[in-house]
Amino acid sequence: MKSNPPLELSYGLATCQFGNVVIAFADNCVHYLSFCIIIANAYDEIRALFPSTKLSMDETKTKLLTDIIFSKNEPIAVCPHGTPFQIAVWTALQNIPKGTTVSYSQIAHEIGKPNAVRAVAKAIGSNNIAFLIPCHRVISKNGGLAGFKWGLELKKQLLLWETNNL
DNA sequence: ATAAAGGCCACCC
DNA sequence: GGGTGGCCTTTAT
């Protein structure tokens, strides 16, 4: 991570229809969102990602945000942290309309680096704001789902849910 | 500094 | 179908 880390963040664990989610946020802006398989490790990644940030737990606000994101399905601001290249890729992802998918090479074109396909894939895989930065909408050009940090089954479910909740 | 590894894709059998 | 090589960035040595 190269951009300036936040001085302090609130964070918490909540449940949604896709399982447990961990969120770190400040001022209604989400800095981190992850699906959580092992509760015991829920906060390890946040700590690793923001080693010098003051973290304070706020389960109430976390539940509120989870509700906004996964139940009300309303837009919410994100503050991604990454290298300029990663930010460019993640920004491009946010322009993918809900309920549609694109290929990795389309994103590469979008950011003006048509040959950086593999680099794009890597940047997408290292996205720290799951769902809000819709890395699940990027699939393989041959029609396959390609990969997903939490398994292809969840990727499929997210896409399905989106097409049914436009 | 250098090497190796990617959530890929186009191209060849 | 399956292998292979190359694109560019990040991460590990």
Side-chain angles (χ1 to χ4, degrees), chain A residues 50-92:
Chain A
F50 305 105
S52 59
T53 298
K54 182 186 176 202
L55 299 175
S56 42
M57 183 175 295
D58 186 341
E59 296 285 3
T60 306
K61 191 89 182 283
T62 300
K63 286 189 171 66
L64 214 59
L65 287 172
T66 304
D67 192 47
I68 290 173
I69 296 167
F70 292 101
S71 298
K72 295 181 176 159
N73 197 15
E74 290 172 1
I76 191 164
V78 295
C79 297
H81 300 279
T83 65
F85 180 82
Q86 290 172 327
I87 299 286
V89 171
W90 298 341
T91 304

Side-chain angles (χ1 to χ4, degrees), chain A residues 24-41:
Chain A
F25 56 93
D27 305 321
N28 282 321
C29 178
V30 176
H31 292 242
Y32 173 91
L33 193 162
S34 173
F35 295 101
C36 173
I37 314 281
I38 303 169
I39 302 234
N41 304 338

Side-chain angles (χ1 to χ4, degrees), chain A residues 79-155:
Chain A
C79 297
H81 300 279
T83 65
F85 180 82
Q86 290 172 327
I87 299 286
V89 171
W90 298 341
T91 304
L93 294 190
Q94 294 178 74
N95 294 329
I96 308 170
K98 203 160 40 143
T100 69
T101 57
V102 300
S103 69
Y104 293 84
S105 53
Q106 281 174 50
I107 296 294
H109 275 91
E110 187 116 354
I111 63 172
K113 302 199 177 186
N115 293 322
V117 191
R118 298 190 71 172
V120 164
K122 197 165 205 261
I124 290 176
S126 42
N127 157 41
N128 290 312
I129 313 184
F131 190 73
L132 295 177
I133 291 178
C135 50
H136 56 282
R137 294 185 199 142
V138 189
I139 62 177
S140 186
K141 200 164 199 188
N142 64 25
L145 272 185
F148 195 59
K149 191 170 175 180
W150 299 277
L152 294 181
E153 189 52 38
L154 180 56
K155 187 170 184 175

Side-chain angles (χ1 to χ4, degrees), chain A residues 1-9 31 49-53 81:
Chain A
M1 169 166 54
K2 277 183 185 166
S3 52
N4 295 339
L7 290 178
E8 38 182 317
L9 289 174
H31 292 242
L49 223 45
F50 305 105
S52 59
T53 298
H81 300 279

